[in-house]
Amino acid sequence: MSESKKRDTRFSDGDGDIGEFILFMISGHPLLPSSESSSVVVHRRGTPSRNLPSFRCLCHNVSFSSSTYDETQTNFFELKDQQEEEQEETAVSAGATTRYPLKPLTSLARSLSVVASKHLYSADSRSSQQYSLECPVKDRGSRVSWGSMEMHNNSNTCTSFDISRSSSVVQDKLSKSRRVRNKSVDFDDYLLYAENPRLIYINDPRRTNDKYEFTGNEIRTSKYTLITFLPKNLFIQFHRVAYLYFLAIAALNQLPPLAVFGRTVSLFPLLFVLCVTAIKDGYEDWRRHRSDRNENNREALVLQLGEFQMKKWKKIRAGEVVKMHADETIPCDMVLLGTSDPSGLAYIQTMNLDGESNLKTRYARQETASSVFEGCNVAGLIRCEQPNRNIYEFTANMEFNGQKFPLSQSNIVLRGCQLKNTDWIIGAVVYAGQETKAMLNSAVSPSKRSKLESYMNRETLWLSIFLLVMCSVVALGMGLWLHRHEEELDTLPYYRKRYLTKGKENGKTYRYYGIPMETFFSFLSSIIVFQIMIPISLYITMELVRLGQSYFMIEDKHMYDSSSDSRFQCRSLNINEDLGQVRYVFSDKTGTLTENKMEFRKASVYGKNYEGSDLTDDSLQDHNIRAAAVIRSRWKLKSEISVDSKLMDLLHKDLAGDERIDAHEFFLTLAACNTVIPIVSQDTSSCHGRSESLEDVEAIDYQGESPDEQALVSAASAYGYTLFERTSGHIVIDINGNKLRLDVLGLHEFDSVRKRMSVVIRFPNNTVKVLVKGADSTMFSILARDTERDDQIRRATHSHLTEYSSEGLRTLVVAARDLTDAELEQWQCRYEDASTSLIDRAAKLRQTATLVECNLNLLGATAIEDKLQDGVPEAIEALWQAGIKVWVLTGDKQETAISIGISSKLLTADMQQIIINGYSEEECRNLLADAKIRHGVQSANRKKQNLKRQKNSENGYLEIPDEAKSSNVLQLRAGKEEPAVCAPLALIIDGNSLVYILEKDLESELFDIATSCRVVLCCRVAPLQKAGIVDLIKSRTDDMTLAIGDGANDVSMIQMADVGVGICGQEGRQAVMASDFAMGQFRFLKRLLLVHGHWNYQRVGYLVLYNFYRNAVFVLMLFWYILCTAFSTTSALTDWSSVFYSVIYTSVPTIVVGILDKDLSHRTLLQYPKLYGAGHRHEAYNLQLFWITMIDTLWQSLVLFYIPLFTYKESSIDIWSMGSLWTIAVVVLVNIHLAMDIRRWVFITHAAVWGSIIITYACMVILDSIPIFPNYWTIYHLAKSPTYWLTILLITIVALLPRFLFKVVHQIFWPSDIQIAREAELLRKVPPTWRSRPDEGSS
């Protein structure tokens, strides 16, 4: 048969002519009526209906090759033990395979497979049967390894990997997958649903829940009830160890021998903190209760006694039949039984569930839709999986009117979704209340802890040691003093053994327990007196400061995205300061660096390249313009799409050649092979001024889950192939004004293993075709190689794909072929069995798809442009200058990722690229070793030794090198120094290599190379591989990591990183909901880190040190007093003064400064990104600063105590007057100390600092005016004396003089980067009013 004849058979029913078929397609022949059945599984026209055989109908000489595991994309494994396992081993060559029983394996996705034949358990039988996965087509050019991943080298040779060499390899991979999975947050483990399915009897809730094992539909998101609030809230609060410490202190103070403070006063600080937190938690929970009550009391129509009646949501039960109307919210998870559309089609919006605004289609099965539409009684049985959190999958089957058919995700509507563009739907409840997928997914993302807070615990431990040392000194001194004065205790005023007063107490002994017990009690009493050495107020202060910082970040107008109307979001208040220490940024590409708004740019059809051009260009011929006008006279797209005039000519020529046929099938595939929803509406604006218009123009918009699909369908419409109707069983395409109805027999959706999508359709003349589109890495291996012409087209298309990828375009390959009756019957048989299976349905559907996805005819390729977001190159450049490494983790092709890397300034011309594309573990090992030797990469241990000489990031302060001490801010240092190499390195690695590298023995090699490179690009990576790369850095370094993404595939990466940032993009809000911070554009990351991150880190670092100082100086002052009063643990300060010191007197200034203070303006921080390196060097908070602060605190406490003591040594002043002086002096001292460090004074700062001193005086006046207090009227006597005021002034000057001199000398001779930048700011001749206003707006 000639080549043309051979190609003609793709369109003809047998020996018909191709020209007749084309004429038939564009003619006005009537289509079959829409009322005919269009079952997805089985639909044969012109043949009598019959029961298709089950899986066992196939011949016995065929076998399935199933996936064994997926190391990178398998989220969940559940292996079923078998008592006996037999293996037959044969040489894996010339088609020979290894056969052994398959352990049932459940997973979300698979990317690696074993080329082997195994026993596959049928869904309805325990007996095993083998089925061949070899393509049932003669003369195949290359063998297809079913269910396996095929990888290609440059010569397009297909390589299949047998990674079942030994059981140890499998176990290692499984353990590795579990290790990665445990570090990320994903769905719960699946159950083997076939063993324990949920039985739902439709319209029979009593029988459904006869064992009372299903929950009702009432939901509860609140934490507490009236009964459990107090105990549960206290239990949660006392998870903080500091609270337990202060509870123990308060309990000790209740004991009579240890009652240093008043028993009520000692409880005040802890009760205050507990009450404030409890009130906040109680208010939040009351709001949850109110929301739950409103939600549970909503009403819906439920079928009761043969008619639909209103019923409250909380009383709906599993098994009941519910009817919903347009724009109503779905109350529970329901399987669709029927809709207002006769074909069973319904549109829903899932914004409340996953944040996606695009409409999605759901279908009622034709078997139930017709019965519901006719008003028949509804009864049947649904077998479904147990409740789980996966909102993207649903596995079940239904028995209805004697038929059994599968149910999938497209047949269920979930709680929280809204019904759109559909008058009504009727569904059977399968999951209710807390068991719905929405409620199972309502858990918050895992809480993260600030790294600075973990460092703070180290200093808290040191303060605890100081506290114990001071208490031991007091106790030891007490014991020695008692031993020395043991004979005088009867007469000494504090320790006499007997009462000397007259009355009934005369002669009675004091409670004296002997020297050992008195010493022990002195130790415990000292702990009570010195308790605030551990600052309880610091926890509340940090929470309030972080809250204030978050407010100013949210209100920053520079991080508002007008295009998406999205403001910056702070979803976590625990890690604000971590934004100032980020060293690694892991970024997704599509939708994060790019806009994720796809535009069809180029196409390769029949080996020829076509590029879009502007329709209004004068170079276009008149007939092209007229042809385009004809196309658009009926359908108006939402956005204009440029078309190629030559390709348009080809489509409109009356030719019967192969090129015309391929072009026709190419655009037919683009219009048909998708899941988009056409939304048609009348457009009167476009034809308002066109009186010559013969018909109204209809505007058409496409809604879909993938922007790629929307772009491809829109492009097909621009070329005259307009998809305008879709139901569960058919689609209708307008081809240049002629309607073509295609029956959809089955759809294999895109998955990460096959990396392609296919649809099986029947034409009006009963011709059946499979239309396929997918990634070139998997498409070229399943193409037919019949003639030399096919090879030429393949080579030309491959060349075009390389060209497209180098330009940064996203590519897809399009192919199709005819199916014979035998192939169709075989596929339908397996498709029915696989789609009704409750065990590993996804894997069986993948295997079934491979029956038709082979020997395809290559039609062409598409190229879609995903433009960079505004400001991305500038943001990446600024981050690099700040010493932050940016790694891009994407699922795109390597060429596309490299092109985007160049355009975004991530890759530069002077970089040496290290490309790792390995197809085996040994090859990856050799590539890594070769790269290390060639580029002189050091091992991790040696690198650590070198870094130890350069930095002391945790235990000290890294000094600025000499070259950075000049006044030129442009020479500021970036932080860590990179290894000395002749040129910067860039590592480019693909997901296939990561499959082998992410093992313990190769991870270290990858780590050594990656950390030596300035840029890392990971291509074709799976979601869990993204998390694995983040963990590679996080687990091996102390560097702060940040992950940023916009899609559900970025969730694992975002939750793995120390800081997770979500982009409010086109792919829904899963990433936003799992993130710590969210924003509208990648470019805002520059301001978030360089400005707010720097400010937050500087503020919180100083806040912690200041709180340590503030409490320690007060405690040390009491310590010196106790040493001078015979170690008696008495206090010169009143109980209320001690309590109010950290709660009222000194707390407000620290909060205000922590929120508003700025060391530099936002302009300076953005102009000089290297200033961000202060966070990398831990300049604001480190152990050396802590010890310097403690030494300063020791000096200030000595001055604070001894100057008043020496001043009033010869006077008759009483102890309470001294206590009043010390109280005022310490408050003035710590506030002046704070004022010395404030860099930005505003009105609120002045009011807080000086106002706290005024408030202290006011409180002292009030307390000293109460007659029952021992310090009654002391402040009035002291205020009259000039000595009192001079003493306070002298204390302040002498105590702060060393600190002042130290700061002056250090800033003159050893200035920091920040100090240099501050001086540069002061030298600018800019009016203060102009400089301060923008700063205030972006705090």
Side-chain angles (χ1 to χ4, degrees):
M1 183 183 294
S2 66
E3 173 61 21
S4 60
K5 290 289 185 182
K6 202 181 297 182
R7 297 178 68 87
D8 288 350
T9 57
R10 291 182 285 124
F11 285 89
S12 61
D13 225 356
D15 53 357
D17 185 73
I18 185 65
E20 294 177 0
F21 176 73
I22 295 177
L23 290 175
F24 175 82
M25 296 231 304
I26 63 175
S27 66
H29 287 189
L31 300 173
L32 293 177
S34 60
S35 60
E36 293 192 21
S37 173
S38 57
S39 172
V40 174
V41 178
V42 180
H43 185 85
R44 299 183 61 85
R45 295 189 182 275
T47 57
S49 61
R50 53 195 170 98
N51 291 328
L52 286 174
S54 67
F55 223 8
R56 297 182 296 277
C57 70
L58 303 174
C59 56
H60 296 281
N61 63 343
V62 292
S63 62
F64 266 57
S65 172
S66 175
S67 302
T68 299
Y69 66 89
D70 169 27
E71 201 256 358
T72 62
Q73 290 187 334
T74 300
N75 296 341
F76 313 101
F77 288 84
E78 193 162 328
L79 299 177
K80 185 179 179 181
D81 295 333
Q82 300 180 4
Q83 296 180 353
E84 295 182 357
E85 185 171 332
E86 298 178 357
Q87 283 191 347
E88 290 181 38
E89 295 184 356
T90 58
V92 184
S93 63
T97 55
T98 304
R99 294 180 172 85
Y100 54 92
L102 170 68
K103 296 181 179 181
L105 182 108
T106 304
S107 64
L108 288 181
R110 300 173 179 185
S111 65
L112 281 180
S113 308
V114 178
V115 184
S117 297
K118 304 172 186 174
H119 289 78
L120 180 67
Y121 287 91
S122 175
D124 51 4
S125 173
R126 298 296 297 176
S127 62
S128 61
Q129 189 72 36
Q130 292 182 337
Y131 309 105
S132 176
L133 288 183
E134 293 301 325
C135 183
V137 182
K138 297 180 181 180
D139 301 329
R140 287 199 54 191
S142 61
R143 181 177 62 85
V144 177
S145 177
W146 298 82
S148 67
M149 171 175 283
E150 294 161 337
M151 307 174 188
H152 308 269
N153 54 23
N154 294 333
S155 59
N156 295 327
T157 57
C158 177
T159 307
S160 299
F161 293 99
D162 184 359
I163 47 177
S164 58
R165 292 183 296 272
S166 65
S167 60
S168 62
V169 177
V170 176
Q171 294 301 324
D172 290 344
K173 296 276 187 179
L174 290 175
S175 63
K176 174 64 180 176
S177 180
R178 291 193 186 98
R179 184 175 72 86
V180 176
R181 181 206 50 198
N182 291 337
K183 293 172 184 173
S184 64
V185 176
D186 237 308
F187 298 117
D188 292 332
D189 290 350
Y190 273 159
L191 301 174
L192 289 177
Y193 303 117
E195 295 183 354
N196 185 26
R198 166 172 287 207
L199 302 181
I200 304 295
Y201 294 92
I202 301 175
N203 201 22
D204 193 352
R206 181 169 298 179
R207 185 180 179 188
T208 298
N209 199 21
D210 56 350
K211 296 181 181 178
Y212 299 99
E213 56 185 343
F214 300 160
T215 63
N217 198 42
E218 184 174 6
I219 64 166
R220 186 169 68 88
T221 60
S222 56
K223 291 182 180 179
Y224 313 108
T225 64
L226 288 176
I227 298 176
T228 62
F229 174 75
L230 191 60
K232 192 173 181 179
N233 184 260
L234 290 176
F235 176 76
I236 292 175
Q237 289 199 60
F238 278 108
H239 273 68
R240 278 184 167 171
V241 180
Y243 287 11
L244 293 174
Y245 164 78
F246 284 99
L247 178 64
I249 295 296
L252 288 175
N253 200 68
Q254 306 306 308
L255 302 177
L258 308 177
V260 177
F261 300 126
R263 296 181 180 180
T264 304
V265 176
S266 64
L267 292 172
F268 180 79
L270 182 62
L271 289 177
F272 176 77
V273 173
L274 293 176
C275 288
V276 169
T277 307
I279 291 172
K280 178 181 72 71
D281 293 344
Y283 174 72
E284 291 178 353
D285 205 59
W286 173 79
R287 294 179 61 184
R288 294 191 195 100
H289 272 285
R290 184 179 61 181
S291 175
D292 292 345
R293 185 167 58 252
N294 294 337
E295 188 82 358
N296 291 325
N297 288 329
R298 296 171 72 173
E299 293 184 335
L301 289 171
V302 179
L303 186 61
Q304 304 175 73
L305 302 177
E307 61 180 11
F308 286 100
Q309 301 177 9
M310 299 301 293
K311 191 175 186 178
K312 289 186 177 180
W313 278 20
K314 63 182 179 182
K315 295 182 180 179
I316 297 176
R317 296 175 293 170
E320 290 188 316
V321 177
V322 179
K323 184 175 184 179
M324 306 302 299
H325 289 89
D327 298 323
E328 290 184 343
T329 303
I330 309 300
C332 44
D333 294 353
M334 308 188 306
V335 168
L336 280 180
L337 299 178
T339 72
S340 57
D341 183 68
S343 63
L345 180 67
Y347 298 101
I348 63 166
Q349 189 179 63
T350 60
M351 182 175 291
N352 293 335
L353 196 62
D354 58 13
E356 298 183 12
S357 58
N358 291 334
L359 296 183
K360 299 177 178 61
T361 51
R362 294 295 182 264
Y363 305 94
R365 294 290 308 205
Q366 291 290 334
E367 294 85 346
T368 61
S370 57
S371 298
V372 170
F373 205 77
E374 295 169 2
C376 299
N377 189 24
V378 179
L381 173 63
I382 298 175
R383 286 186 176 90
C384 62
E385 59 193 6
Q386 293 296 328
N388 61 81
R389 298 172 61 188
N390 191 351
I391 64 175
Y392 301 106
E393 285 191 10
F394 176 67
T395 305
N397 55 47
M398 180 188 291
E399 294 179 8
F400 188 82
N401 291 341
Q403 303 180 51
K404 181 180 179 181
F405 43 84
L407 300 174
S408 65
Q409 175 62 24
S410 61
N411 305 121
I412 188 174
V413 290
L414 304 181
R415 181 189 180 110
C417 300
Q418 282 190 322
L419 186 63
K420 296 290 185 181
N421 295 355
T422 308
D423 293 336
W424 54 264
I425 62 171
I426 293 177
V429 179
V430 289
Y431 306 126
Q434 300 294 136
E435 293 180 342
T436 57
K437 293 179 181 288
M439 295 305 299
L440 292 174
N441 278 281
S442 62
V444 296
S445 58
S447 59
K448 298 178 182 179
R449 189 181 183 188
S450 165
K451 188 167 288 188
L452 190 144
E453 192 172 337
S454 64
Y455 292 158
M456 185 182 76
N457 291 337
R458 176 188 60 195
E459 277 68 70
T460 302
L461 178 63
W462 279 111
L463 292 176
S464 301
I465 295 174
F466 297 159
L467 176 65
L468 294 177
V469 169
M470 289 189 297
C471 294
S472 299
V473 169
V474 173
L476 181 62
M478 167 69 76
L480 294 175
W481 193 91
L482 288 175
H483 184 269
R484 181 180 178 183
H485 299 88
E486 188 174 7
E487 303 300 328
E488 309 170 23
L489 294 181
D490 281 339
T491 57
L492 290 175
Y494 292 105
Y495 289 98
R496 55 178 179 247
K497 294 183 179 180
R498 298 179 183 277
Y499 285 99
L500 301 179
T501 57
K502 297 180 179 179
K504 61 179 181 178
E505 300 291 341
N506 187 26
K508 289 187 177 182
T509 59
Y510 273 2
R511 291 182 178 178
Y512 179 74
Y513 302 96
I515 294 179
M517 289 303 297
E518 289 291 338
T519 302
F520 178 67
F521 288 151
S522 177
F523 179 84
L524 297 180
S525 300
S526 301
I527 293 179
I528 298 174
V529 173
F530 303 147
Q531 60 179 298
I532 65 170
M533 190 74 170
I534 311 297
I536 188 173
S537 60
L538 177 57
Y539 291 98
I540 292 206
T541 301
M542 289 183 69
E543 293 294 332
L544 294 175
V545 165
R546 287 167 174 164
L547 184 63
Q549 291 173 351
S550 299
Y551 170 78
F552 283 106
M553 285 193 289
I554 293 171
E555 294 298 320
D556 189 348
K557 61 183 180 182
H558 297 95
M559 293 197 295
Y560 168 76
D561 182 28
S562 58
S563 60
S564 61
D565 192 26
S566 58
R567 299 164 60 185
F568 183 82
Q569 300 178 39
C570 286
R571 302 178 59 85
S572 174
L573 298 179
N574 300 325
I575 55 175
N576 288 358
E577 58 271 21
D578 283 352
L579 293 172
Q581 300 173 276
V582 172
R583 170 70 71 174
Y584 288 91
V585 170
F586 301 90
S587 173
D588 179 38
K589 185 188 77 68
T590 305
T592 304
L593 299 179
T594 60
E595 294 181 351
N596 201 19
K597 294 179 180 178
M598 310 301 177
E599 295 183 12
F600 186 85
R601 290 300 184 195
K602 298 182 179 183
S604 174
V605 181
Y606 201 70
K608 295 183 179 179
N609 180 44
Y610 297 97
E611 299 184 17
S613 58
D614 193 354
L615 281 174
T616 60
D617 194 281
D618 295 335
S619 63
L620 288 180
Q621 300 176 6
D622 293 339
H623 72 274
N624 291 333
I625 300 178
R626 287 195 297 270
V630 170
I631 296 169
R632 286 176 171 76
S633 63
R634 175 70 193 279
W635 306 105
K636 180 185 178 183
L637 293 172
K638 186 177 181 180
S639 59
E640 283 292 318
I641 297 177
S642 58
V643 299
D644 189 283
S645 58
K646 295 180 181 179
L647 184 55
M648 187 69 75
D649 281 345
L650 177 63
L651 291 171
H652 288 82
K653 285 180 180 179
D654 295 331
L655 299 177
D658 292 342
E659 186 175 1
R660 166 69 177 85
I661 296 170
D662 278 4
H664 167 76
E665 279 200 334
F666 177 84
F667 285 103
L668 193 65
T669 303
L670 295 187
C673 187
N674 55 73
T675 58
V676 301
I677 306 166
I679 306 296
V680 179
S681 60
Q682 290 295 124
D683 184 73
T684 57
S685 60
S686 60
C687 61
H688 181 72
R690 289 168 44 189
S691 59
E692 69 276 16
S693 178
L694 300 178
E695 56 181 343
D696 292 337
V697 174
E698 291 187 84
I700 188 165
D701 186 24
Y702 293 107
Q703 297 280 346
E705 300 180 24
S706 168
D708 298 72
E709 284 194 338
Q710 292 175 248
L712 293 176
V713 177
S714 298
S717 179
Y719 281 94
Y721 292 73
T722 303
L723 171 69
F724 69 92
E725 181 180 331
R726 176 185 294 278
T727 69
S728 60
H730 73 269
I731 57 176
V732 182
I733 301 175
D734 185 335
I735 302 178
N736 300 331
N738 299 284
K739 296 183 179 179
L740 175 66
R741 169 173 163 157
L742 303 173
D743 295 316
V744 180
L745 305 185
L747 178 71
H748 292 283
E749 295 189 3
F750 183 92
D751 63 63
S752 56
V753 179
R754 291 163 45 247
K755 297 183 180 178
R756 55 183 176 262
M757 174 186 182
S758 62
V759 59
V760 179
I761 60 174
R762 186 193 302 278
F763 287 83
N765 66 343
N766 275 342
T767 301
V768 178
K769 288 182 177 293
V770 56
L771 310 178
V772 188
K773 67 179 182 183
D776 59 347
S777 60
T778 61
M779 290 292 290
F780 277 104
S781 62
I782 58 175
L783 297 178
R785 298 189 181 185
D786 294 335
T787 64
E788 182 180 350
R789 179 59 181 165
D790 291 339
D791 290 337
Q792 292 176 359
I793 295 175
R794 178 200 299 263
R795 287 193 294 270
T797 305
H798 189 274
S799 175
H800 293 155
L801 287 169
T802 304
E803 177 187 344
Y804 299 159
S805 298
S806 64
E807 297 175 10
L809 302 178
R810 298 164 62 87
T811 59
L812 283 177
V813 175
V814 181
R817 78 177 177 98
D818 287 337
L819 294 182
T820 64
D821 289 341
E823 290 173 334
L824 176 62
E825 182 175 342
Q826 185 185 29
W827 170 79
Q828 284 179 324
C829 177
R830 296 189 183 179
Y831 185 83
E832 179 186 23
D833 192 275
S835 58
T836 56
S837 173
L838 293 183
I839 299 179
D840 212 5
R841 178 184 292 183
K844 292 181 180 179
L845 285 173
R846 283 199 297 270
Q847 296 161 358
T848 304
T850 326
L851 291 174
V852 294
E853 294 174 351
C854 60
N855 276 345
L856 300 175
N857 174 48
L858 177 62
L859 300 176
T862 62
I864 300 174
E865 182 181 17
D866 188 8
K867 292 184 178 179
L868 276 179
Q869 294 181 9
D870 293 337
V872 168
E874 294 78 8
I876 291 178
E877 177 71 16
L879 294 178
W880 175 77
Q881 291 183 16
I884 300 173
K885 293 185 177 182
V886 180
W887 292 16
V888 176
L889 315 178
T890 178
D892 279 339
K893 289 184 61 178
Q894 185 168 291
E895 295 83 358
T896 305
I898 292 175
S899 176
I900 293 295
I902 294 173
S903 60
S904 63
K905 295 186 179 179
L906 198 62
L907 297 175
T908 57
D910 62 333
M911 286 186 177
Q912 295 185 16
Q913 296 183 5
I914 304 174
I915 299 179
I916 306 294
N917 291 335
Y919 300 131
S920 68
E921 184 175 345
E922 189 62 29
E923 186 177 359
C924 292
R925 188 187 304 274
N926 295 335
L927 288 172
L928 291 172
D930 181 63
K932 290 184 66 174
I933 295 173
R934 184 186 308 148
H935 299 282
V937 176
Q938 299 176 348
S939 63
N941 293 333
R942 187 172 179 182
K943 196 180 297 183
K944 285 182 180 178
Q945 293 175 0
N946 293 338
L947 287 176
K948 281 182 179 179
R949 302 190 189 104
Q950 300 177 10
K951 72 168 188 175
N952 188 6
S953 60
E954 249 185 60
N955 299 322
Y957 183 79
L958 183 63
E959 293 186 356
I960 307 299
D962 293 337
E963 62 269 17
K965 294 178 183 178
S966 66
S967 59
N968 186 1
V969 188
L970 292 173
Q971 297 180 0
L972 297 179
R973 187 176 165 204
K976 289 184 180 178
E977 298 296 331
E978 299 296 336
V981 292
C982 56
L985 301 177
L987 174 63
I988 301 166
I989 187 170
D990 66 345
N992 299 331
S993 302
L994 290 175
V995 170
Y996 302 103
I997 292 176
L998 288 181
E999 294 293 324
K1000 293 184 179 179
D1001 55 340
L1002 289 183
E1003 273 187 349
S1004 58
E1005 305 294 321
L1006 175 63
F1007 173 78
D1008 293 339
I1009 296 178
T1011 52
S1012 300
C1013 296
R1014 181 184 296 177
V1015 175
V1016 176
L1017 284 180
C1018 298
C1019 316
R1020 297 294 198 194
V1021 290
L1024 283 182
Q1025 284 180 324
K1026 292 184 178 183
I1029 292 295
V1030 175
D1031 182 61
L1032 178 72
I1033 298 299
K1034 186 178 176 182
S1035 61
R1036 293 171 181 263
T1037 69
D1038 292 328
D1039 294 327
M1040 192 74 65
T1041 59
L1042 181 147
I1044 179 170
D1046 71 318
N1049 60 332
D1050 302 316
V1051 169
S1052 298
M1053 172 179 71
I1054 287 173
Q1055 293 180 336
M1056 174 64 71
D1058 295 301
V1059 181
V1061 179
I1063 297 290
C1064 307
Q1066 305 289 320
E1067 297 187 17
R1069 298 177 62 85
Q1070 296 96 321
V1072 171
M1073 292 186 288
S1075 65
D1076 305 303
F1077 305 94
M1079 54 191 182
Q1081 296 281 330
F1082 178 87
R1083 57 188 169 92
F1084 298 150
L1085 186 65
K1086 173 183 175 182
R1087 185 175 184 85
L1088 176 65
L1089 297 183
L1090 303 188
V1091 178
H1092 293 286
H1094 175 87
W1095 284 341
N1096 293 343
Y1097 170 69
Q1098 296 289 331
R1099 293 162 176 168
V1100 175
Y1102 180 80
L1103 172 73
V1104 174
L1105 287 174
Y1106 177 77
N1107 272 269
F1108 286 155
Y1109 150 78
R1110 184 190 66 183
N1111 286 25
V1113 73
F1114 185 81
V1115 168
L1116 287 172
M1117 181 187 69
L1118 298 178
F1119 176 69
W1120 306 132
Y1121 175 78
I1122 288 175
L1123 295 184
C1124 295
T1125 55
F1127 311 98
S1128 59
T1129 65
T1130 57
S1131 176
L1133 279 64
T1134 63
D1135 298 345
W1136 289 106
S1137 295
S1138 300
V1139 171
F1140 286 166
Y1141 173 73
S1142 59
V1143 176
I1144 297 178
Y1145 295 166
T1146 59
S1147 60
V1148 176
T1150 57
I1151 295 173
V1152 172
V1153 172
I1155 295 174
L1156 297 178
D1157 193 35
K1158 295 179 183 178
D1159 54 353
L1160 294 166
S1161 69
H1162 69 102
R1163 288 191 190 86
T1164 300
L1165 292 172
L1166 291 175
Q1167 185 178 0
Y1168 306 115
K1170 292 184 179 181
L1171 291 168
Y1172 187 81
H1176 296 156
R1177 298 187 294 270
H1178 303 271
E1179 290 184 3
Y1181 186 88
N1182 55 61
L1183 193 57
Q1184 184 174 341
L1185 277 179
F1186 171 77
W1187 287 115
I1188 292 175
T1189 302
M1190 288 299 103
I1191 293 172
D1192 186 33
T1193 302
L1194 182 65
W1195 163 256
Q1196 292 189 29
S1197 66
L1198 289 170
V1199 172
L1200 189 62
F1201 174 75
Y1202 282 104
I1203 285 184
L1205 190 66
F1206 290 139
T1207 301
Y1208 290 95
K1209 185 175 183 180
E1210 304 298 331
S1211 69
S1212 61
I1213 189 173
D1214 66 318
I1215 193 61
W1216 300 113
S1217 297
M1218 286 293 292
S1220 179
L1221 172 60
W1222 277 324
T1223 301
I1224 294 295
V1226 71
V1227 171
V1228 172
L1229 176 63
V1230 297
N1231 278 282
I1232 298 296
H1233 176 109
L1234 178 64
M1236 287 177 60
D1237 295 328
I1238 295 177
R1239 278 83 171 248
R1240 180 200 184 211
W1241 286 92
V1242 293
F1243 173 77
I1244 299 178
T1245 311
H1246 283 288
V1249 174
W1250 314 124
S1252 66
I1253 298 176
I1254 297 174
I1255 290 174
T1256 302
Y1257 269 106
C1259 291
M1260 293 294 296
V1261 169
I1262 294 173
L1263 292 175
D1264 288 1
S1265 301
I1266 301 176
I1268 61 174
F1269 285 173
N1271 53 318
Y1272 177 66
W1273 218 250
T1274 55
I1275 188 69
Y1276 297 99
H1277 294 293
L1278 287 173
K1280 297 176 183 178
S1281 169
T1283 306
Y1284 171 77
W1285 300 103
L1286 290 175
T1287 302
I1288 293 176
L1289 179 62
L1290 183 62
I1291 289 173
T1292 304
I1293 293 174
V1294 176
L1296 296 178
L1297 184 62
R1299 176 178 179 80
F1300 175 77
L1301 295 176
F1302 178 83
K1303 289 186 67 174
V1304 170
V1305 172
H1306 193 274
Q1307 291 181 7
I1308 292 176
F1309 295 102
W1310 299 282
S1312 66
D1313 295 354
I1314 296 175
Q1315 179 60 31
I1316 296 172
R1318 281 186 56 78
E1319 293 175 3
E1321 275 189 352
L1322 295 175
L1323 292 176
R1324 293 174 187 163
K1325 303 299 181 180
V1326 179
T1329 56
W1330 183 85
R1331 184 173 61 246
S1332 61
R1333 284 176 185 170
D1335 293 356
E1336 294 174 8
S1338 57
S1339 295

